[in-house]
Amino acid sequence: MAEINHFEYGWITPALSYALSVLGSILGLVCAGRIRTARTAGQRAWWGLLAAWALGGTAIWAMHFMAMLGFAVDGTRIRYDVPLTAASTAIAVVAVGIGLAIVGTGRLNPARLVAGGVFTGAGVAAMHYTGMAAMRLNGDLGYDTTRVALSVVIAVVASTVALWLAMTVRRGLAIFASALVMGVAVNGMHFTGMSALSVHQHEARGAVTGASVGALLVPIVLAVIFGVVGLLYALLAAPTDDDRAAAAYLDARRPPEPTLATPTVAPDPVGLRARSTLGQPGTPFPSRRDNPPR
């Protein structure tokens, strides 16, 4: 059995992974708050997609990859299968998106919350172990069943709490405190699952195929940066409840536009207005004889 090191670079990688999970949780909670105030189905779908990306893509998956940078196995290099790595990203985002759709449609109740938490937690666990299956090294991966089950339970509980917070928390300080708790839960699930891992090294060592961590690091970091910038831009550009209230107040204070006065019709004693041929060549000037008084 090979020796495993989860903190090859010390506490840098877990600190960065926790920071990513907190950042993604803050953005996800704010986007989820916009779902509740959206006026149309299209707006709700848009904010749900952004919340799913923030929570599933940044708070969960990016945190997982950042923590994996500190994972090392003595005696072998570690490479990653790119399609499986991409699939793990999609699993996390889709699972969170479906969970938000379950709890965000209709009135929030315990049944919806539990259903969304179970589905999302199962998706988060599937993301984690799909990402682990994407590793390529000179050895076979083994897992302790009890710790795997514990990591799934943590994922379900954390997802349920996260969905409840996403539907109820609104204030800035409460969002920040909730994001700190969510960061602890996400990292706790990850490292619980990692503690269940064991590697049985092969006697015959061969070439390990796949992408290195360095090859994946640059595109993933760029994706996270552009994703965070895009989320911030979407949040800053969208009008808030205060903006709508201010616009309604200004509309109410605006004076009404002046109405145009109805023009009065001048008297026409000799019937000039009735003669459409007046002013044309050869037309005689009307007289009172033509229109005798009645």
Side-chain angles (χ1 to χ4, degrees), residues 68 71-73 75-85 129-141 143 197 199 201-202 206-213 216:
M68 291 303 297
F71 177 76
V73 179
T76 180
R77 293 181 177 179
I78 298 177
R79 295 291 184 267
Y80 290 90
D81 182 271
V82 176
L84 274 180
T85 303
Y129 291 105
T130 301
M132 298 301 296
M135 288 196 308
R136 299 290 179 262
L137 46 79
N138 282 317
D140 297 323
L141 303 182
Y143 294 94
L197 177 67
V199 178
Q201 204 163 5
H202 294 159
V208 180
T209 60
S212 64
V213 174
L216 293 175

PDB file of all heavy atoms in Angstrom, residues 68 71-73 75-85 129-141 143 197 199 201-202 206-213 216:
ATOM      1  N   MET A  68      -7.323  19.002  -4.561  1.00  0.00           N
ATOM      2  CA  MET A  68      -6.594  17.888  -5.169  1.00  0.00           C
ATOM      3  C   MET A  68      -5.180  18.283  -5.592  1.00  0.00           C
ATOM      4  O   MET A  68      -4.342  17.409  -5.831  1.00  0.00           O
ATOM      5  CB  MET A  68      -7.361  17.363  -6.384  1.00  0.00           C
ATOM      6  CG  MET A  68      -8.656  16.649  -6.034  1.00  0.00           C
ATOM      7  SD  MET A  68      -8.413  15.262  -4.901  1.00  0.00           S
ATOM      8  CE  MET A  68      -7.390  14.195  -5.898  1.00  0.00           C
ATOM      9  N   PHE A  71      -2.812  16.770  -3.255  1.00  0.00           N
ATOM     10  CA  PHE A  71      -2.855  15.313  -3.107  1.00  0.00           C
ATOM     11  C   PHE A  71      -1.685  14.695  -3.855  1.00  0.00           C
ATOM     12  O   PHE A  71      -1.439  15.006  -5.021  1.00  0.00           O
ATOM     13  CB  PHE A  71      -4.174  14.776  -3.653  1.00  0.00           C
ATOM     14  CG  PHE A  71      -4.292  13.288  -3.603  1.00  0.00           C
ATOM     15  CD1 PHE A  71      -4.559  12.641  -2.408  1.00  0.00           C
ATOM     16  CD2 PHE A  71      -4.130  12.521  -4.749  1.00  0.00           C
ATOM     17  CE1 PHE A  71      -4.682  11.261  -2.352  1.00  0.00           C
ATOM     18  CE2 PHE A  71      -4.246  11.151  -4.709  1.00  0.00           C
ATOM     19  CZ  PHE A  71      -4.521  10.515  -3.504  1.00  0.00           C
ATOM     20  N   ALA A  72      -0.963  13.812  -3.195  1.00  0.00           N
ATOM     21  CA  ALA A  72       0.189  13.136  -3.812  1.00  0.00           C
ATOM     22  C   ALA A  72       0.280  11.719  -3.272  1.00  0.00           C
ATOM     23  O   ALA A  72      -0.126  11.430  -2.142  1.00  0.00           O
ATOM     24  CB  ALA A  72       1.484  13.907  -3.523  1.00  0.00           C
ATOM     25  N   VAL A  73       0.822  10.839  -4.113  1.00  0.00           N
ATOM     26  CA  VAL A  73       1.053   9.440  -3.749  1.00  0.00           C
ATOM     27  C   VAL A  73       2.527   9.152  -3.975  1.00  0.00           C
ATOM     28  O   VAL A  73       3.048   9.397  -5.078  1.00  0.00           O
ATOM     29  CB  VAL A  73       0.182   8.487  -4.591  1.00  0.00           C
ATOM     30  CG1 VAL A  73       0.461   7.030  -4.215  1.00  0.00           C
ATOM     31  CG2 VAL A  73      -1.294   8.798  -4.398  1.00  0.00           C
ATOM     32  N   GLY A  75       5.847   7.555  -4.967  1.00  0.00           N
ATOM     33  CA  GLY A  75       6.268   6.539  -5.935  1.00  0.00           C
ATOM     34  C   GLY A  75       5.537   6.567  -7.252  1.00  0.00           C
ATOM     35  O   GLY A  75       5.800   5.708  -8.101  1.00  0.00           O
ATOM     36  N   THR A  76       4.639   7.499  -7.482  1.00  0.00           N
ATOM     37  CA  THR A  76       3.922   7.539  -8.764  1.00  0.00           C
ATOM     38  C   THR A  76       3.475   8.958  -9.069  1.00  0.00           C
ATOM     39  O   THR A  76       3.220   9.761  -8.154  1.00  0.00           O
ATOM     40  CB  THR A  76       2.688   6.615  -8.748  1.00  0.00           C
ATOM     41  OG1 THR A  76       2.024   6.695 -10.015  1.00  0.00           O
ATOM     42  CG2 THR A  76       1.724   6.995  -7.648  1.00  0.00           C
ATOM     43  N   ARG A  77       3.415   9.239 -10.344  1.00  0.00           N
ATOM     44  CA  ARG A  77       2.848  10.502 -10.788  1.00  0.00           C
ATOM     45  C   ARG A  77       1.332  10.371 -10.901  1.00  0.00           C
ATOM     46  O   ARG A  77       0.800   9.278 -11.041  1.00  0.00           O
ATOM     47  CB  ARG A  77       3.431  10.908 -12.153  1.00  0.00           C
ATOM     48  CG  ARG A  77       4.910  11.238 -12.113  1.00  0.00           C
ATOM     49  CD  ARG A  77       5.386  11.656 -13.496  1.00  0.00           C
ATOM     50  NE  ARG A  77       6.789  12.056 -13.495  1.00  0.00           N
ATOM     51  CZ  ARG A  77       7.455  12.444 -14.581  1.00  0.00           C
ATOM     52  NH1 ARG A  77       6.814  12.486 -15.753  1.00  0.00           N
ATOM     53  NH2 ARG A  77       8.726  12.796 -14.495  1.00  0.00           N
ATOM     54  N   ILE A  78       0.661  11.529 -10.860  1.00  0.00           N
ATOM     55  CA  ILE A  78      -0.794  11.549 -10.969  1.00  0.00           C
ATOM     56  C   ILE A  78      -1.177  12.346 -12.206  1.00  0.00           C
ATOM     57  O   ILE A  78      -0.711  13.464 -12.406  1.00  0.00           O
ATOM     58  CB  ILE A  78      -1.438  12.160  -9.714  1.00  0.00           C
ATOM     59  CG1 ILE A  78      -1.120  11.324  -8.481  1.00  0.00           C
ATOM     60  CG2 ILE A  78      -2.957  12.270  -9.894  1.00  0.00           C
ATOM     61  CD1 ILE A  78      -1.666  11.909  -7.193  1.00  0.00           C
ATOM     62  N   ARG A  79      -1.976  11.716 -13.037  1.00  0.00           N
ATOM     63  CA  ARG A  79      -2.522  12.376 -14.214  1.00  0.00           C
ATOM     64  C   ARG A  79      -4.047  12.296 -14.142  1.00  0.00           C
ATOM     65  O   ARG A  79      -4.609  11.564 -13.342  1.00  0.00           O
ATOM     66  CB  ARG A  79      -2.021  11.711 -15.503  1.00  0.00           C
ATOM     67  CG  ARG A  79      -0.511  11.840 -15.710  1.00  0.00           C
ATOM     68  CD  ARG A  79      -0.139  13.273 -16.013  1.00  0.00           C
ATOM     69  NE  ARG A  79       1.288  13.410 -16.319  1.00  0.00           N
ATOM     70  CZ  ARG A  79       2.214  13.697 -15.434  1.00  0.00           C
ATOM     71  NH1 ARG A  79       1.872  13.870 -14.149  1.00  0.00           N
ATOM     72  NH2 ARG A  79       3.477  13.817 -15.787  1.00  0.00           N
ATOM     73  N   TYR A  80      -4.725  13.071 -15.009  1.00  0.00           N
ATOM     74  CA  TYR A  80      -6.186  13.128 -14.971  1.00  0.00           C
ATOM     75  C   TYR A  80      -6.765  12.896 -16.355  1.00  0.00           C
ATOM     76  O   TYR A  80      -6.259  13.419 -17.364  1.00  0.00           O
ATOM     77  CB  TYR A  80      -6.658  14.484 -14.434  1.00  0.00           C
ATOM     78  CG  TYR A  80      -6.374  14.679 -12.969  1.00  0.00           C
ATOM     79  CD1 TYR A  80      -5.170  15.254 -12.548  1.00  0.00           C
ATOM     80  CD2 TYR A  80      -7.279  14.271 -12.005  1.00  0.00           C
ATOM     81  CE1 TYR A  80      -4.892  15.426 -11.204  1.00  0.00           C
ATOM     82  CE2 TYR A  80      -7.013  14.440 -10.650  1.00  0.00           C
ATOM     83  CZ  TYR A  80      -5.816  15.011 -10.264  1.00  0.00           C
ATOM     84  OH  TYR A  80      -5.542  15.164  -8.923  1.00  0.00           O
ATOM     85  N   ASP A  81      -7.831  12.112 -16.387  1.00  0.00           N
ATOM     86  CA  ASP A  81      -8.587  11.894 -17.610  1.00  0.00           C
ATOM     87  C   ASP A  81      -9.475  13.118 -17.849  1.00  0.00           C
ATOM     88  O   ASP A  81     -10.356  13.419 -17.032  1.00  0.00           O
ATOM     89  CB  ASP A  81      -9.431  10.628 -17.481  1.00  0.00           C
ATOM     90  CG  ASP A  81     -10.197  10.317 -18.747  1.00  0.00           C
ATOM     91  OD1 ASP A  81     -11.328  10.816 -18.890  1.00  0.00           O
ATOM     92  OD2 ASP A  81      -9.663   9.581 -19.601  1.00  0.00           O
ATOM     93  N   VAL A  82      -9.258  13.803 -18.962  1.00  0.00           N
ATOM     94  CA  VAL A  82      -9.947  15.078 -19.200  1.00  0.00           C
ATOM     95  C   VAL A  82     -11.459  14.903 -19.361  1.00  0.00           C
ATOM     96  O   VAL A  82     -12.238  15.663 -18.754  1.00  0.00           O
ATOM     97  CB  VAL A  82      -9.328  15.796 -20.412  1.00  0.00           C
ATOM     98  CG1 VAL A  82     -10.104  17.075 -20.743  1.00  0.00           C
ATOM     99  CG2 VAL A  82      -7.865  16.130 -20.138  1.00  0.00           C
ATOM    100  N   PRO A  83     -11.956  13.941 -20.164  1.00  0.00           N
ATOM    101  CA  PRO A  83     -13.419  13.809 -20.271  1.00  0.00           C
ATOM    102  C   PRO A  83     -14.100  13.516 -18.933  1.00  0.00           C
ATOM    103  O   PRO A  83     -15.169  14.077 -18.642  1.00  0.00           O
ATOM    104  CB  PRO A  83     -13.596  12.646 -21.260  1.00  0.00           C
ATOM    105  CG  PRO A  83     -12.356  12.652 -22.082  1.00  0.00           C
ATOM    106  CD  PRO A  83     -11.273  13.054 -21.137  1.00  0.00           C
ATOM    107  N   LEU A  84     -13.506  12.652 -18.110  1.00  0.00           N
ATOM    108  CA  LEU A  84     -14.110  12.376 -16.809  1.00  0.00           C
ATOM    109  C   LEU A  84     -14.061  13.596 -15.895  1.00  0.00           C
ATOM    110  O   LEU A  84     -15.000  13.852 -15.122  1.00  0.00           O
ATOM    111  CB  LEU A  84     -13.404  11.197 -16.140  1.00  0.00           C
ATOM    112  CG  LEU A  84     -13.905   9.793 -16.501  1.00  0.00           C
ATOM    113  CD1 LEU A  84     -13.109   8.746 -15.757  1.00  0.00           C
ATOM    114  CD2 LEU A  84     -15.391   9.659 -16.191  1.00  0.00           C
ATOM    115  N   THR A  85     -12.977  14.356 -15.983  1.00  0.00           N
ATOM    116  CA  THR A  85     -12.883  15.577 -15.184  1.00  0.00           C
ATOM    117  C   THR A  85     -13.955  16.574 -15.589  1.00  0.00           C
ATOM    118  O   THR A  85     -14.608  17.206 -14.731  1.00  0.00           O
ATOM    119  CB  THR A  85     -11.495  16.205 -15.343  1.00  0.00           C
ATOM    120  OG1 THR A  85     -10.491  15.252 -14.956  1.00  0.00           O
ATOM    121  CG2 THR A  85     -11.352  17.441 -14.481  1.00  0.00           C
ATOM    122  N   TYR A 129     -16.548  11.433  -6.453  1.00  0.00           N
ATOM    123  CA  TYR A 129     -15.966  10.132  -6.781  1.00  0.00           C
ATOM    124  C   TYR A 129     -15.754   9.960  -8.287  1.00  0.00           C
ATOM    125  O   TYR A 129     -14.915   9.158  -8.697  1.00  0.00           O
ATOM    126  CB  TYR A 129     -16.841   9.019  -6.196  1.00  0.00           C
ATOM    127  CG  TYR A 129     -16.765   8.997  -4.684  1.00  0.00           C
ATOM    128  CD1 TYR A 129     -17.809   9.476  -3.903  1.00  0.00           C
ATOM    129  CD2 TYR A 129     -15.617   8.551  -4.033  1.00  0.00           C
ATOM    130  CE1 TYR A 129     -17.717   9.494  -2.510  1.00  0.00           C
ATOM    131  CE2 TYR A 129     -15.515   8.569  -2.657  1.00  0.00           C
ATOM    132  CZ  TYR A 129     -16.572   9.044  -1.902  1.00  0.00           C
ATOM    133  OH  TYR A 129     -16.468   9.057  -0.527  1.00  0.00           O
ATOM    134  N   THR A 130     -16.477  10.727  -9.112  1.00  0.00           N
ATOM    135  CA  THR A 130     -16.152  10.763 -10.539  1.00  0.00           C
ATOM    136  C   THR A 130     -14.816  11.460 -10.756  1.00  0.00           C
ATOM    137  O   THR A 130     -13.992  11.019 -11.572  1.00  0.00           O
ATOM    138  CB  THR A 130     -17.254  11.481 -11.329  1.00  0.00           C
ATOM    139  OG1 THR A 130     -18.493  10.811 -11.137  1.00  0.00           O
ATOM    140  CG2 THR A 130     -16.935  11.511 -12.819  1.00  0.00           C
ATOM    141  N   GLY A 131     -14.598  12.557 -10.023  1.00  0.00           N
ATOM    142  CA  GLY A 131     -13.299  13.227 -10.106  1.00  0.00           C
ATOM    143  C   GLY A 131     -12.167  12.343  -9.626  1.00  0.00           C
ATOM    144  O   GLY A 131     -11.050  12.384 -10.176  1.00  0.00           O
ATOM    145  N   MET A 132     -12.413  11.527  -8.601  1.00  0.00           N
ATOM    146  CA  MET A 132     -11.384  10.599  -8.140  1.00  0.00           C
ATOM    147  C   MET A 132     -11.129   9.502  -9.168  1.00  0.00           C
ATOM    148  O   MET A 132      -9.990   9.066  -9.363  1.00  0.00           O
ATOM    149  CB  MET A 132     -11.804   9.992  -6.804  1.00  0.00           C
ATOM    150  CG  MET A 132     -11.960  11.000  -5.679  1.00  0.00           C
ATOM    151  SD  MET A 132     -10.434  11.905  -5.345  1.00  0.00           S
ATOM    152  CE  MET A 132      -9.372  10.566  -4.802  1.00  0.00           C
ATOM    153  N   ALA A 133     -12.200   9.048  -9.830  1.00  0.00           N
ATOM    154  CA  ALA A 133     -12.041   8.028 -10.866  1.00  0.00           C
ATOM    155  C   ALA A 133     -11.279   8.555 -12.072  1.00  0.00           C
ATOM    156  O   ALA A 133     -10.735   7.770 -12.863  1.00  0.00           O
ATOM    157  CB  ALA A 133     -13.411   7.518 -11.302  1.00  0.00           C
ATOM    158  N   ALA A 134     -11.234   9.881 -12.239  1.00  0.00           N
ATOM    159  CA  ALA A 134     -10.491  10.461 -13.356  1.00  0.00           C
ATOM    160  C   ALA A 134      -8.991  10.428 -13.133  1.00  0.00           C
ATOM    161  O   ALA A 134      -8.224  10.701 -14.069  1.00  0.00           O
ATOM    162  CB  ALA A 134     -10.944  11.903 -13.581  1.00  0.00           C
ATOM    163  N   MET A 135      -8.532  10.106 -11.918  1.00  0.00           N
ATOM    164  CA  MET A 135      -7.088  10.056 -11.651  1.00  0.00           C
ATOM    165  C   MET A 135      -6.458   8.853 -12.328  1.00  0.00           C
ATOM    166  O   MET A 135      -7.017   7.747 -12.341  1.00  0.00           O
ATOM    167  CB  MET A 135      -6.824  10.000 -10.148  1.00  0.00           C
ATOM    168  CG  MET A 135      -7.096  11.283  -9.418  1.00  0.00           C
ATOM    169  SD  MET A 135      -6.353  11.302  -7.762  1.00  0.00           S
ATOM    170  CE  MET A 135      -6.974   9.771  -7.082  1.00  0.00           C
ATOM    171  N   ARG A 136      -5.276   9.052 -12.858  1.00  0.00           N
ATOM    172  CA  ARG A 136      -4.485   7.977 -13.480  1.00  0.00           C
ATOM    173  C   ARG A 136      -3.142   7.909 -12.761  1.00  0.00           C
ATOM    174  O   ARG A 136      -2.418   8.903 -12.689  1.00  0.00           O
ATOM    175  CB  ARG A 136      -4.279   8.243 -14.974  1.00  0.00           C
ATOM    176  CG  ARG A 136      -5.580   8.309 -15.774  1.00  0.00           C
ATOM    177  CD  ARG A 136      -6.215   6.936 -15.869  1.00  0.00           C
ATOM    178  NE  ARG A 136      -7.475   6.959 -16.608  1.00  0.00           N
ATOM    179  CZ  ARG A 136      -8.666   6.999 -16.053  1.00  0.00           C
ATOM    180  NH1 ARG A 136      -8.763   7.059 -14.715  1.00  0.00           N
ATOM    181  NH2 ARG A 136      -9.757   7.003 -16.781  1.00  0.00           N
ATOM    182  N   LEU A 137      -2.832   6.752 -12.198  1.00  0.00           N
ATOM    183  CA  LEU A 137      -1.566   6.559 -11.498  1.00  0.00           C
ATOM    184  C   LEU A 137      -1.202   5.081 -11.522  1.00  0.00           C
ATOM    185  O   LEU A 137      -2.006   4.230 -11.939  1.00  0.00           O
ATOM    186  CB  LEU A 137      -1.655   7.080 -10.057  1.00  0.00           C
ATOM    187  CG  LEU A 137      -2.894   6.691  -9.216  1.00  0.00           C
ATOM    188  CD1 LEU A 137      -2.807   5.296  -8.665  1.00  0.00           C
ATOM    189  CD2 LEU A 137      -3.080   7.701  -8.099  1.00  0.00           C
ATOM    190  N   ASN A 138       0.023   4.775 -11.098  1.00  0.00           N
ATOM    191  CA  ASN A 138       0.476   3.378 -11.036  1.00  0.00           C
ATOM    192  C   ASN A 138      -0.044   2.720  -9.749  1.00  0.00           C
ATOM    193  O   ASN A 138       0.687   2.562  -8.775  1.00  0.00           O
ATOM    194  CB  ASN A 138       2.013   3.314 -11.080  1.00  0.00           C
ATOM    195  CG  ASN A 138       2.551   3.512 -12.484  1.00  0.00           C
ATOM    196  OD1 ASN A 138       2.017   2.964 -13.447  1.00  0.00           O
ATOM    197  ND2 ASN A 138       3.596   4.315 -12.611  1.00  0.00           N
ATOM    198  N   GLY A 139      -1.296   2.377  -9.764  1.00  0.00           N
ATOM    199  CA  GLY A 139      -1.881   1.756  -8.584  1.00  0.00           C
ATOM    200  C   GLY A 139      -3.383   1.627  -8.727  1.00  0.00           C
ATOM    201  O   GLY A 139      -3.999   2.185  -9.652  1.00  0.00           O
ATOM    202  N   ASP A 140      -3.974   0.865  -7.834  1.00  0.00           N
ATOM    203  CA  ASP A 140      -5.414   0.687  -7.791  1.00  0.00           C
ATOM    204  C   ASP A 140      -5.976   1.446  -6.593  1.00  0.00           C
ATOM    205  O   ASP A 140      -5.408   1.412  -5.497  1.00  0.00           O
ATOM    206  CB  ASP A 140      -5.776  -0.798  -7.675  1.00  0.00           C
ATOM    207  CG  ASP A 140      -5.318  -1.594  -8.896  1.00  0.00           C
ATOM    208  OD1 ASP A 140      -5.404  -1.033 -10.015  1.00  0.00           O
ATOM    209  OD2 ASP A 140      -4.887  -2.751  -8.724  1.00  0.00           O
ATOM    210  N   LEU A 141      -7.110   2.113  -6.819  1.00  0.00           N
ATOM    211  CA  LEU A 141      -7.752   2.873  -5.756  1.00  0.00           C
ATOM    212  C   LEU A 141      -8.710   1.971  -4.979  1.00  0.00           C
ATOM    213  O   LEU A 141      -9.470   1.196  -5.568  1.00  0.00           O
ATOM    214  CB  LEU A 141      -8.530   4.065  -6.330  1.00  0.00           C
ATOM    215  CG  LEU A 141      -7.729   5.066  -7.184  1.00  0.00           C
ATOM    216  CD1 LEU A 141      -8.636   6.207  -7.622  1.00  0.00           C
ATOM    217  CD2 LEU A 141      -6.532   5.600  -6.423  1.00  0.00           C
ATOM    218  N   TYR A 143     -11.429   2.012  -1.359  1.00  0.00           N
ATOM    219  CA  TYR A 143     -12.175   2.911  -0.477  1.00  0.00           C
ATOM    220  C   TYR A 143     -12.723   2.150   0.723  1.00  0.00           C
ATOM    221  O   TYR A 143     -13.155   0.992   0.605  1.00  0.00           O
ATOM    222  CB  TYR A 143     -13.338   3.579  -1.225  1.00  0.00           C
ATOM    223  CG  TYR A 143     -12.913   4.533  -2.314  1.00  0.00           C
ATOM    224  CD1 TYR A 143     -12.801   4.116  -3.638  1.00  0.00           C
ATOM    225  CD2 TYR A 143     -12.613   5.853  -2.008  1.00  0.00           C
ATOM    226  CE1 TYR A 143     -12.412   4.992  -4.625  1.00  0.00           C
ATOM    227  CE2 TYR A 143     -12.224   6.744  -2.996  1.00  0.00           C
ATOM    228  CZ  TYR A 143     -12.119   6.309  -4.307  1.00  0.00           C
ATOM    229  OH  TYR A 143     -11.723   7.186  -5.290  1.00  0.00           O
ATOM    230  N   LEU A 197      -9.797   6.874   1.047  1.00  0.00           N
ATOM    231  CA  LEU A 197      -9.033   6.370  -0.093  1.00  0.00           C
ATOM    232  C   LEU A 197      -7.768   5.646   0.350  1.00  0.00           C
ATOM    233  O   LEU A 197      -7.090   6.060   1.290  1.00  0.00           O
ATOM    234  CB  LEU A 197      -8.656   7.540  -1.006  1.00  0.00           C
ATOM    235  CG  LEU A 197      -7.785   7.233  -2.221  1.00  0.00           C
ATOM    236  CD1 LEU A 197      -8.524   6.373  -3.225  1.00  0.00           C
ATOM    237  CD2 LEU A 197      -7.302   8.540  -2.858  1.00  0.00           C
ATOM    238  N   VAL A 199      -4.386   3.487  -1.805  1.00  0.00           N
ATOM    239  CA  VAL A 199      -3.787   3.197  -3.111  1.00  0.00           C
ATOM    240  C   VAL A 199      -2.898   1.975  -2.969  1.00  0.00           C
ATOM    241  O   VAL A 199      -1.973   1.956  -2.144  1.00  0.00           O
ATOM    242  CB  VAL A 199      -2.972   4.402  -3.636  1.00  0.00           C
ATOM    243  CG1 VAL A 199      -2.317   4.054  -4.963  1.00  0.00           C
ATOM    244  CG2 VAL A 199      -3.868   5.632  -3.780  1.00  0.00           C
ATOM    245  N   GLN A 201      -0.220   0.097  -4.885  1.00  0.00           N
ATOM    246  CA  GLN A 201       0.671   0.398  -5.994  1.00  0.00           C
ATOM    247  C   GLN A 201       1.005  -0.862  -6.786  1.00  0.00           C
ATOM    248  O   GLN A 201       1.118  -1.958  -6.244  1.00  0.00           O
ATOM    249  CB  GLN A 201       1.966   1.025  -5.463  1.00  0.00           C
ATOM    250  CG  GLN A 201       2.693   1.885  -6.483  1.00  0.00           C
ATOM    251  CD  GLN A 201       3.714   2.786  -5.818  1.00  0.00           C
ATOM    252  OE1 GLN A 201       3.946   2.706  -4.614  1.00  0.00           O
ATOM    253  NE2 GLN A 201       4.312   3.671  -6.588  1.00  0.00           N
ATOM    254  N   HIS A 202       1.147  -0.682  -8.116  1.00  0.00           N
ATOM    255  CA  HIS A 202       1.525  -1.774  -8.995  1.00  0.00           C
ATOM    256  C   HIS A 202       3.018  -2.060  -8.867  1.00  0.00           C
ATOM    257  O   HIS A 202       3.826  -1.150  -8.673  1.00  0.00           O
ATOM    258  CB  HIS A 202       1.197  -1.424 -10.450  1.00  0.00           C
ATOM    259  CG  HIS A 202      -0.278  -1.292 -10.713  1.00  0.00           C
ATOM    260  ND1 HIS A 202      -0.783  -0.590 -11.795  1.00  0.00           N
ATOM    261  CD2 HIS A 202      -1.360  -1.767 -10.045  1.00  0.00           C
ATOM    262  CE1 HIS A 202      -2.098  -0.643 -11.770  1.00  0.00           C
ATOM    263  NE2 HIS A 202      -2.466  -1.354 -10.718  1.00  0.00           N
ATOM    264  N   GLY A 206       4.596   1.629 -15.149  1.00  0.00           N
ATOM    265  CA  GLY A 206       4.599   2.043 -16.543  1.00  0.00           C
ATOM    266  C   GLY A 206       4.322   3.520 -16.674  1.00  0.00           C
ATOM    267  O   GLY A 206       4.177   4.244 -15.691  1.00  0.00           O
ATOM    268  N   ALA A 207       4.215   3.960 -17.928  1.00  0.00           N
ATOM    269  CA  ALA A 207       3.930   5.371 -18.187  1.00  0.00           C
ATOM    270  C   ALA A 207       2.475   5.667 -17.829  1.00  0.00           C
ATOM    271  O   ALA A 207       1.578   4.887 -18.147  1.00  0.00           O
ATOM    272  CB  ALA A 207       4.198   5.699 -19.649  1.00  0.00           C
ATOM    273  N   VAL A 208       2.260   6.792 -17.165  1.00  0.00           N
ATOM    274  CA  VAL A 208       0.916   7.202 -16.771  1.00  0.00           C
ATOM    275  C   VAL A 208       0.399   8.183 -17.807  1.00  0.00           C
ATOM    276  O   VAL A 208       1.030   9.215 -18.075  1.00  0.00           O
ATOM    277  CB  VAL A 208       0.925   7.850 -15.370  1.00  0.00           C
ATOM    278  CG1 VAL A 208      -0.490   8.272 -14.979  1.00  0.00           C
ATOM    279  CG2 VAL A 208       1.500   6.887 -14.347  1.00  0.00           C
ATOM    280  N   THR A 209      -0.735   7.852 -18.407  1.00  0.00           N
ATOM    281  CA  THR A 209      -1.314   8.718 -19.438  1.00  0.00           C
ATOM    282  C   THR A 209      -2.333   9.665 -18.826  1.00  0.00           C
ATOM    283  O   THR A 209      -2.906   9.398 -17.775  1.00  0.00           O
ATOM    284  CB  THR A 209      -1.996   7.864 -20.523  1.00  0.00           C
ATOM    285  OG1 THR A 209      -3.039   7.087 -19.924  1.00  0.00           O
ATOM    286  CG2 THR A 209      -0.995   6.944 -21.191  1.00  0.00           C
ATOM    287  N   GLY A 210      -2.560  10.762 -19.522  1.00  0.00           N
ATOM    288  CA  GLY A 210      -3.531  11.737 -19.054  1.00  0.00           C
ATOM    289  C   GLY A 210      -2.909  13.113 -18.930  1.00  0.00           C
ATOM    290  O   GLY A 210      -1.708  13.309 -19.171  1.00  0.00           O
ATOM    291  N   ALA A 211      -3.719  14.091 -18.565  1.00  0.00           N
ATOM    292  CA  ALA A 211      -3.257  15.470 -18.426  1.00  0.00           C
ATOM    293  C   ALA A 211      -2.695  15.693 -17.035  1.00  0.00           C
ATOM    294  O   ALA A 211      -3.238  15.193 -16.042  1.00  0.00           O
ATOM    295  CB  ALA A 211      -4.408  16.438 -18.690  1.00  0.00           C
ATOM    296  N   SER A 212      -1.620  16.430 -16.964  1.00  0.00           N
ATOM    297  CA  SER A 212      -1.031  16.754 -15.671  1.00  0.00           C
ATOM    298  C   SER A 212      -1.821  17.851 -14.979  1.00  0.00           C
ATOM    299  O   SER A 212      -2.659  18.529 -15.581  1.00  0.00           O
ATOM    300  CB  SER A 212       0.423  17.198 -15.855  1.00  0.00           C
ATOM    301  OG  SER A 212       0.477  18.401 -16.605  1.00  0.00           O
ATOM    302  N   VAL A 213      -1.543  18.022 -13.698  1.00  0.00           N
ATOM    303  CA  VAL A 213      -2.222  19.070 -12.942  1.00  0.00           C
ATOM    304  C   VAL A 213      -1.898  20.450 -13.515  1.00  0.00           C
ATOM    305  O   VAL A 213      -2.770  21.322 -13.620  1.00  0.00           O
ATOM    306  CB  VAL A 213      -1.830  18.993 -11.460  1.00  0.00           C
ATOM    307  CG1 VAL A 213      -2.413  20.163 -10.689  1.00  0.00           C
ATOM    308  CG2 VAL A 213      -2.298  17.683 -10.851  1.00  0.00           C
ATOM    309  N   LEU A 216      -4.010  21.283 -16.565  1.00  0.00           N
ATOM    310  CA  LEU A 216      -5.402  21.599 -16.261  1.00  0.00           C
ATOM    311  C   LEU A 216      -5.554  22.872 -15.433  1.00  0.00           C
ATOM    312  O   LEU A 216      -6.631  23.482 -15.432  1.00  0.00           O
ATOM    313  CB  LEU A 216      -6.050  20.438 -15.495  1.00  0.00           C
ATOM    314  CG  LEU A 216      -6.239  19.133 -16.255  1.00  0.00           C
ATOM    315  CD1 LEU A 216      -6.777  18.059 -15.319  1.00  0.00           C
ATOM    316  CD2 LEU A 216      -7.166  19.316 -17.442  1.00  0.00           C
TER     317      LEU A 216
END
